[in-house]
């Protein structure tokens, strides 16, 4: 799909991190942008910045875990701009990285699934039928993670499980779109290949009361900054991927109609090969034994 001036892109989780980087990159291509995020203050700030640059912007406070919110987002996007050509189901939260997976609270699972899995499906259901009815070229990008789609991360099992679900959901969507012979395609995004400076570490700031924890959080790190400081003190150097690079991967992938938006990385390739080899050999997943589980 060729991105061109006047098209419309919708991005969830758009007020910061990867989402905001994608919005800025689409705007640079001349697209009108629809920003959706649960954080009103950050959303208004991002929208104001873009409007000051002459970008046509619609900003909507949206909780993607709520189907009605996402339906209202789609209604507003079509009422304002008349069409949607790119949909990025990007909103996500980190949840449940404390203790063994059977010790995670039920609400850790419910919240993560509500946002990371149901949020993606809500986006697909609210937008894809209208994109198909429009008859124009379109693309859907669903944000997964190497932690779930390339090799599961046992130290963040809840998050990894939800991100693995996004991969399978996107594979299914791809097959269904191809079966319809329509000009709309889809991709699954694996941000990286290194750590990213996003608000995922501070997801708890937006955790709704209906998914409140029953026990205090056990993690010693309240933010990415605290974790990075601790790692450096322990002699570990952490490499980060700029969110702008992720946005470039998205634009390039849409243009090339590339399903796997997966940056080149020998580390990722090694994980993929190890997992595939274990399955083909019907062997136990020894690649998981290298993780240190406190």
């Amino acid at each position: 799909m060729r991105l061109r001036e006047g098209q419309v892109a919708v991005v969830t989780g758009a007020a910061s991190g990867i989402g905001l980087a994608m919005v800025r990159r689409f705007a640079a291509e001349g697209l009108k942008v629809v920003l959706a995020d649960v954080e009103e203050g950050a959303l208004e700030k991002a929208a104001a910045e873009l409007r000051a640059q002459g970008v046509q912007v619609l900003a909507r406070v949206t909780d993607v875990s709520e189907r009605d919110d996402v339906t209202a987002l789609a209604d507003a996007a079509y009422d304002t701009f008349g069409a949607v050509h790119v949909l990025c189901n990007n909103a996500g939260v980190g949840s449940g990285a404390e203790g063994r997976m059977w010790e995670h609270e039920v609400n850790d699972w419910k919240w993560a699934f509500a946002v990371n899995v149901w949020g993606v499906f809500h986006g697909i259901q609210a937008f894809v039928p209208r994109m198909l009815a429009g008859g124009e070229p379109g693309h859907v990008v669903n944000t997964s993670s190497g932690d779930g789609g390339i090799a599961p991360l046992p130290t963040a099992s809840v998050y990894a499980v939800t991100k693995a679900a996004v991969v399978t959901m996107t594979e299914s969507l791809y097959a269904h779109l191809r079966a319809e012979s329509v000009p709309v395609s889809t991709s699954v995004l694996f941000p990286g290949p290194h750590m990213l400076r996003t608000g995922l570490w501070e997801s708890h700031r937006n955790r709704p009361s209906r998914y409140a924890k029953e026990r205090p959080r056990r993690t010693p790190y309240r933010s990415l900054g605290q974790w990075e400081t601790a790692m450096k003190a322990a002699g570990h150097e952490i490499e980060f991927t700029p969110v702008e690079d992720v946005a470039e991967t998205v634009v390039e992938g849409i243009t090339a109609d590339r399903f796997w938006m997966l940056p080149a990385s020998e580390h990722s390739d090694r994980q993929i090969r190890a997992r595939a080899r274990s399955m083909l050999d019907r062997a136990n997943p020894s690649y998981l034994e290298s993780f240190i589980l406190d």
Side-chain angles (χ1 to χ4, degrees), residues 65-105:
S65 71
E66 295 287 347
R67 181 174 182 268
D68 289 347
D69 269 26
V70 182
T71 300
L73 173 68
D75 289 342
Y78 276 87
D79 288 346
T80 302
F81 294 129
V84 169
H85 304 89
V86 176
L87 168 65
C88 296
N89 291 306
N90 171 73
V93 296
S95 173
E98 305 167 51
R100 300 292 184 248
M101 68 180 298
W102 55 84
E103 297 174 332
H104 298 329
E105 297 176 29

Side-chain angles (χ1 to χ4, degrees), residues 13 15 17 32 70 76 78 88 102 119 150 159 167 173 202 250 281:
K32 305 169 187 176
V70 182
Y78 276 87
C88 296
W102 55 84
I150 295 174
Y159 177 75
V167 176
L173 177 61
E202 293 86 42
V250 171
D281 293 344

Side-chain angles (χ1 to χ4, degrees), residues 25 40 45 70 72 86 112 121 132 153 158 160 173 175 180 209 226 247 269-270 272 276:
R25 188 62 184 81
E40 185 173 7
K45 180 180 177 182
V70 182
V86 176
F121 176 70
L132 298 180
L153 184 64
V158 177
L173 177 61
E180 293 294 319
S209 59
Q226 288 183 359
D269 291 354
R270 188 164 54 249
I272 294 168

Side-chain angles (χ1 to χ4, degrees), residues 179-190:
E180 293 294 319
S181 299
V182 292
V184 178
S185 192
T186 189
S187 302
V188 59
L189 169 65
F190 299 95

Side-chain angles (χ1 to χ4, degrees), residues 43-230:
L43 182 65
E44 291 177 352
K45 180 180 177 182
E49 170 204 310
L50 292 161
R51 290 189 182 109
Q53 299 169 5
V55 181
Q56 293 190 58
V57 177
L58 171 65
R60 293 274 303 194
V61 175
T62 306
D63 180 349
V64 298
S65 71
E66 295 287 347
R67 181 174 182 268
D68 289 347
D69 269 26
V70 182
T71 300
L73 173 68
D75 289 342
Y78 276 87
D79 288 346
T80 302
F81 294 129
V84 169
H85 304 89
V86 176
L87 168 65
C88 296
N89 291 306
N90 171 73
V93 296
S95 173
E98 305 167 51
R100 300 292 184 248
M101 68 180 298
W102 55 84
E103 297 174 332
H104 298 329
E105 297 176 29
V106 171
N107 274 353
D108 289 343
W109 290 92
K110 287 183 176 180
W111 182 40
F113 266 86
V115 177
N116 298 353
V117 181
W118 279 106
V120 174
F121 176 70
H122 291 156
I124 291 169
Q125 191 174 60
F127 283 92
V128 169
R130 299 189 194 193
M131 294 170 72
L132 298 180
E136 298 183 71
H139 207 99
V140 178
V141 179
N142 297 327
T143 301
S144 181
S145 169
D147 295 340
I150 295 174
L153 184 64
T155 53
S157 54
V158 177
Y159 177 75
V161 168
T162 63
K163 289 304 185 178
V166 171
V167 176
T168 301
M169 193 186 310
T170 313
E171 288 175 314
S172 296
L173 177 61
Y174 180 90
H176 289 191
L177 291 171
R178 284 294 187 270
E180 293 294 319
S181 299
V182 292
V184 178
S185 192
T186 189
S187 302
V188 59
L189 169 65
F190 299 95
H194 306 293
M195 292 282 295
L196 293 111
R197 297 188 189 279
T198 71
L200 194 69
W201 279 71
E202 293 86 42
S203 297
H204 53 274
R205 72 193 185 279
N206 294 320
R207 186 164 179 156
S209 59
R210 65 185 181 277
Y211 298 125
K213 289 184 69 64
E214 298 172 1
R215 303 184 299 270
R217 296 177 71 230
R218 288 162 47 187
T219 174
Y221 311 119
R222 303 292 295 183
S223 68
L224 174 60
Q226 288 183 359
W227 176 83
E228 185 179 0
T229 298

